[in-house]
Amino acid sequence: MRIDAFNAVSQIYGTNAKLKAQATGKTEKATDKVEISQAGKDIQIAKKAVKDAPDIREDKVAELKAAIKNGTYKVSDESFAEKLLKAYDSIVD
């Protein structure tokens, strides 16, 4: 590359001239703002309620344990067979 050709072109376009930055007027500082809709707030409340709810319903567990211990817990043979077949069908499919 010929340097003298570059210098000639830069002189024509004035690229060697130093440009000075001009001061601008004062600007106000921008602030960010987030607004959550009422629907979003409701969803947050619902998610928190589900998260805080226990995974195991202790009252039902205690009731079933007492029935088993007392011998009063009865399972229908037909109901058991239906649920067993339903579970088997979901595995096979």
Side-chain angles (χ1 to χ4, degrees), residues 39-55:
K41 290 176 184 176
D42 293 342
I43 290 171
Q44 285 179 334
I45 291 170
K47 281 185 175 182
K48 185 175 182 337
V50 169
K51 181 182 171 192
D52 293 344
D55 290 338

Side-chain angles (χ1 to χ4, degrees), residues 77-91:
D77 294 339
E78 292 173 4
S79 173
F80 176 75
E82 285 177 18
K83 289 181 182 180
L84 186 63
L85 288 175
K86 191 175 186 179
Y88 178 75
D89 285 340
S90 66
I91 294 172

Side-chain angles (χ1 to χ4, degrees), residues 8-46:
V9 171
S10 66
Q11 287 175 355
I12 292 172
Y13 289 104
T15 57
N16 288 341
K18 294 184 179 178
L19 300 174
K20 292 186 179 181
Q22 296 177 357
T24 59
K26 291 196 174 207
T27 59
E28 295 181 27
K29 290 188 175 187
T31 58
D32 292 334
K33 185 177 180 182
V34 175
E35 291 184 22
I36 299 174
S37 68
Q38 186 59 43
K41 290 176 184 176
D42 293 342
I43 290 171
Q44 285 179 334
I45 291 170

